[in-house]
Amino acid sequence: MSGFSFHQDDLDSPDVQALLDSHFAQMRSNSPPDACHVLPIDGLRDAEVTLWSAREDGRLLGVGALKQLSPDHGEVKSMRTAPDALGRGVGRALLHHIIGEARRRGYRRLSLETGSTAPFAAALRLYAQEGFVPCGPFGGYADTPFTRFFTREI
């Protein structure tokens, strides 16, 4: 997307921390406790996880992360667009950036876990439009009525 820049491991930026705090709160309020798999900031600092922020003229537009599950399999984590940037294609741009990085790393598959209720409708549409297809649980996740799993060959 024109004008968007991506910054790796921007976890110490106050605006990133504020957006992630909001993301965590919304995920916890919209998800049953047994189906809420949002990574806290400490989890995003894990060596297997890389987080990017999307910015435009220095302003934070969104965040997204990639977690290595195995040498050829990655997981999309912590996708969130800032409220004032909704509808601008930020989520799609972040997802394309994550897919590109997964390819560069040699991953053959990219998977994700998300919710199934109304607050997740936009994310579900995006993932379907970008070629992710339903799959079973992976990476130790439990299958719940609330949880949806998707994967895509890359």
Side-chain angles (χ1 to χ4, degrees):
M1 307 281 345
S2 177
F4 295 179
S5 61
F6 300 94
H7 303 266
Q8 185 174 323
D9 296 328
D10 206 9
L11 286 165
D12 293 323
S13 297
D15 56 354
V16 169
Q17 290 180 356
L19 181 58
L20 287 170
D21 285 346
S22 173
H23 175 63
F24 302 150
Q26 288 184 344
M27 291 300 97
R28 288 184 184 111
S29 70
N30 292 322
S31 306
D34 66 332
C36 187
H37 305 291
V38 64
L39 281 177
I41 287 180
D42 287 346
L44 291 168
R45 292 185 191 280
D46 186 277
E48 300 298 316
V49 178
T50 307
L51 178 115
W52 291 271
S53 60
R55 295 181 178 275
E56 182 178 58
D57 299 324
R59 193 173 112 250
L60 180 64
L61 303 175
V63 295
L66 175 61
K67 179 179 181 181
Q68 180 172 320
L69 298 177
S70 72
D72 67 348
H73 188 192
E75 178 183 4
V76 176
K77 296 292 292 180
S78 299
M79 291 277 295
R80 176 59 64 167
T81 299
D84 62 347
L86 290 170
R88 297 195 48 215
V90 174
R92 189 175 309 276
L94 275 162
L95 186 59
H96 287 179
H97 186 79
I98 290 168
I99 292 168
E101 178 61 23
R103 280 191 182 114
R104 281 187 286 284
R105 292 180 183 186
Y107 296 171
R108 297 179 66 206
R109 184 165 36 129
L110 197 54
S111 300
L112 62 96
E113 172 274 331
T114 193
S116 62
T117 58
F120 299 91
L124 292 168
R125 279 192 305 277
L126 171 64
Y127 298 134
Q129 290 168 354
E130 292 297 327
F132 286 83
V133 296
C135 67
F138 61 90
Y141 288 114
D143 197 4
T144 73
F146 174 83
T147 309
R148 296 292 177 264
F149 303 96
F150 296 90
T151 196
R152 173 186 160 165
E153 299 283 327
I154 54 173

